[in-house]
């Protein structure tokens, strides 16, 4: 809130002293909830993206064991999830560490090219 208030104060002061042509630019301002664990976001919220027709549905959750780096589970929702999940199945069945899955060079642009960001 403080950085946004400072931005808005600058805009008000500039408009009072000059040409009254400044507006606050709220794009790319991060928001953090200092909870345990912390929760943060920046950019469009899912609801806004949906309203603009930019993203109908997608999401993922990957469970990776600390220390061993072993993939314990993966859940994928969205286009081509039925194909992407096979990469996680291969990694789990063959005990491929999450780091190896992350460093894999995937064909781009494909749905599986996002896997490196999911682990």
């Amino acid at each position: 809130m403080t950085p946004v208030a400072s931005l808005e104060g600058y805009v008000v002061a500039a408009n009072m002293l000059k040409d009254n042509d400044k507006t606050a630019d709220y794009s790319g301002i991060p928001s953090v909830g200092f909870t345990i664990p912390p929760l943060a976001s920046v950019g469009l919220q899912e609801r806004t993206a949906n309203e603009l027709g930019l993203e109908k549905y997608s999401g993922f959750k990957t469970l990776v064991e600390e220390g061993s780096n072993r993939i314990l589970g993966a859940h994928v929702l969205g286009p081509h999830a039925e194909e992407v999940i096979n990469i996680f199945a291969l990694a789990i069945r063959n005990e491929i560490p999450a780091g190896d899955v992350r460093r894999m060079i995937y064909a781009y642009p494909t749905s599986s090219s996002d896997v490196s960001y999911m682990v």
Side-chain angles (χ1 to χ4, degrees):
M1 292 174 59
T2 301
V4 173
S6 295
L7 169 66
E8 291 171 339
Y10 165 78
V11 170
V12 169
N15 285 336
M16 290 173 61
L17 298 173
K18 294 186 181 175
D19 299 329
N20 200 29
D21 63 351
K22 299 272 188 233
T23 58
D25 179 4
Y26 296 102
S27 62
I29 296 176
S31 176
V32 180
F34 292 97
T35 57
I36 299 174
L39 176 64
S41 69
V42 67
L44 289 180
Q45 293 181 352
E46 183 178 8
R47 181 184 319 159
T48 306
N50 288 336
E51 290 170 359
L52 295 173
L54 299 175
E55 183 176 334
K56 292 184 180 185
Y57 50 87
S58 67
F60 71 90
K61 185 170 193 170
T62 308
L63 306 173
V64 179
E65 184 177 49
E66 287 186 43
S68 73
N69 205 29
R70 181 172 58 127
I71 299 174
L72 301 175
H75 313 278
V76 182
L77 171 69
H80 309 288
E82 71 280 6
E83 293 296 332
V84 172
I85 202 67
N86 290 319
I87 295 170
F88 291 104
L90 176 71
I92 290 170
R93 288 184 62 85
N94 293 286
E95 299 179 2
I96 300 170
D100 290 353
V101 174
R102 188 178 304 110
R103 286 187 295 275
M104 168 67 186
I105 299 174
Y106 298 89
Y108 181 86
T110 63
S111 295
S112 61
S113 65
D114 290 335
V115 169
S116 61
Y117 302 106
M118 296 179 185
V119 290

